[in-house]
């Protein structure tokens, strides 16, 4: 499958794409993140970026009843890449406690917390964006 990344016309550099809220969209989202990182010559972040978007997409699909999700990859500053997933649910993500039964599920936000420099949720009137940022070295 070919994934095209459309640059955002204004604001800080970024890419965004809408996908159906289905398990199959995780693979397309991974390709999308790889494409954006390659465009910025940040292939060194690919493994972490792919893992982050996989978890963000899985959480949006599992914990919301939204029909579509939007994956956003942006550069809020020269030192960070932000990967976010937008859905139409207003419920905040809940991190499980490390002592909870994590054998089959519930590790997503713990993994995001371990991989990302920082992460959070931006609330909108109609939904939210859960995002995670990876640190990158500025261009020389």
């Amino acid at each position: 499958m070919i994934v095209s990344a459309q640059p955002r016309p204004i604001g800080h550099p970024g890419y965004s794409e809408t996908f159906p809220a289905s398990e199959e969209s995780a693979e397309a989202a991974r390709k999308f993140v790889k494409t954006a990182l390659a465009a910025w010559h940040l292939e060194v972040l690919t493994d972490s970026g792919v893992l982050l978007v996989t978890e963000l997409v899985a959480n949006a699909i599992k914990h919301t009843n939204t029909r579509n999700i939007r994956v956003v990859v942006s550069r809020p500053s020269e030192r960070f890449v932000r990967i976010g997933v937008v859905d139409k649910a207003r419920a905040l993500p809940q991190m499980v406690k490390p002592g909870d039964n994590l054998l089959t599920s519930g590790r997503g936000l713990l993994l995001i917390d371990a991989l990302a420099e920082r992460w959070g949720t931006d609330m909108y009137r109609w939904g939210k964006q859960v995002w995670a940022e990876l640190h990158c070295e500025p261009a020389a």
Side-chain angles (χ1 to χ4, degrees), residues 8 12 14-19 29-30 32-33 36 40 48-50 52-60 69-76 81-87 112 116 118-122 124 128-134:
R8 292 172 42 190
H12 55 301
Y15 300 90
S16 65
E17 188 72 40
T18 300
F19 299 102
R30 287 189 288 270
F32 179 73
V33 167
W40 292 321
S48 295
V50 164
L52 285 175
V53 80
T54 300
E55 293 301 329
L56 291 168
V57 167
N59 283 348
I69 57 171
R70 186 153 195 87
V71 176
V72 180
V73 185
S74 62
R75 300 283 305 270
V81 170
R82 179 179 284 197
I83 299 170
V85 173
V86 179
D87 62 58
I112 289 167
R118 55 189 174 202
W119 68 276
T121 304
D122 293 338
Y124 307 120
K128 68 179 176 305
Q129 177 179 180
V130 181
W131 53 266
E133 290 182 346
L134 295 171

Side-chain angles (χ1 to χ4, degrees), residues 58-140:
N59 283 348
I61 292 167
K62 182 176 181 178
H63 299 292
T64 72
N65 61 359
T66 190
R67 293 176 51 199
N68 294 302
I69 57 171
R70 186 153 195 87
V71 176
V72 180
V73 185
S74 62
R75 300 283 305 270
S77 74
E78 194 175 62
R79 295 187 179 275
F80 292 98
V81 170
R82 179 179 284 197
I83 299 170
V85 173
V86 179
D87 62 58
K88 294 197 175 178
R90 296 206 21 95
L92 289 170
Q94 299 292 317
M95 188 173 325
V96 296
K97 297 178 209 82
D100 290 346
N101 182 3
L102 300 176
L103 293 178
T104 57
S105 67
R107 298 178 302 262
L109 288 178
L110 290 172
L111 186 58
I112 289 167
D113 189 58
L115 282 173
E117 185 75 21
R118 55 189 174 202
W119 68 276
T121 304
D122 293 338
M123 298 302 296
Y124 307 120
R125 197 171 25 90
W126 44 266
K128 68 179 176 305
Q129 177 179 180
V130 181
W131 53 266
E133 290 182 346
L134 295 171
H135 183 264
C136 60
E137 293 300 320

